[in-house]
Amino acid sequence: MIAATSDTPLVTGSLEITWHSESRLAVLHFAREINLSGKDGTFLVDSLRGWIGTEAKPFALLADTKGVRGADAEYRAKTRDFFKSHRKSAYVAVTNMGPVIRIVADMFRIGTGIHLKGFVDEVAARSWLRRQGIAA
């Protein structure tokens, strides 16, 4: 499990995620021209689990998907299981979705029942998160 540190980015070759503990917001950036794998899903889920703890407090993920081409079945399964178990407390705002990722995200939202919405920019995404009670 990932240590619960704040404002220090965790980086793999494919993604960078920064947890802001006071607002319970994780900000996620992906490497350009990437197809996400199960390894990426495990890293993301383990990071979030370490940060959010066992309480059912609301938390959010702000993901910039510019350059993400797709996600394999293992990535989708790992993230789906995690978010499905947190469907009442998780809020996901996604920016810069290409056409494939937009479809994948919509299917993910329907399949998990989480609060997930796509936005044209980060300003709009953060505004929506604030309306959901997240200090974004």
Side-chain angles (χ1 to χ4, degrees), residues 11-16 29-32 34-37 39-40:
V11 181
T12 69
S14 305
L15 57 94
E16 175 183 298
H29 296 275
F30 297 96
R32 300 287 188 241
I34 183 150
N35 287 304
L36 299 169
S37 69
K39 181 180 172 183
D40 300 313

Side-chain angles (χ1 to χ4, degrees), residues 40-63:
D40 300 313
T42 297
F43 181 78
L44 174 60
V45 167
D46 286 351
S47 298
L48 290 170
R49 274 196 186 117
W51 290 323
I52 68 170
T54 57
E55 297 178 48
K57 292 171 136 181
F59 68 96
L61 178 65
L62 174 59

Side-chain angles (χ1 to χ4, degrees), residues 5-98:
T5 60
S6 182
D7 299 320
T8 302
L10 295 176
V11 181
T12 69
S14 305
L15 57 94
E16 175 183 298
I17 184 169
T18 304
W19 177 250
H20 303 280
S21 60
E22 288 183 28
S23 60
R24 295 182 58 79
L25 173 67
V27 179
L28 180 61
H29 296 275
F30 297 96
R32 300 287 188 241
E33 305 306 316
I34 183 150
N35 287 304
L36 299 169
S37 69
K39 181 180 172 183
D40 300 313
T42 297
F43 181 78
L44 174 60
V45 167
D46 286 351
S47 298
L48 290 170
R49 274 196 186 117
W51 290 323
I52 68 170
T54 57
E55 297 178 48
K57 292 171 136 181
F59 68 96
L61 178 65
L62 174 59
D64 180 351
T65 60
K66 186 174 184 179
V68 176
R69 292 190 211 170
D72 70 14
E74 190 177 355
Y75 177 89
R76 293 189 312 270
K78 288 182 180 302
T79 56
R80 179 200 62 226
D81 293 345
F82 172 79
F83 282 106
K84 199 169 189 178
S85 70
H86 293 89
R87 73 175 60 147
K88 293 183 180 180
S89 57
Y91 295 87
V92 179
V94 185
T95 62
N96 296 310
M97 287 190 284

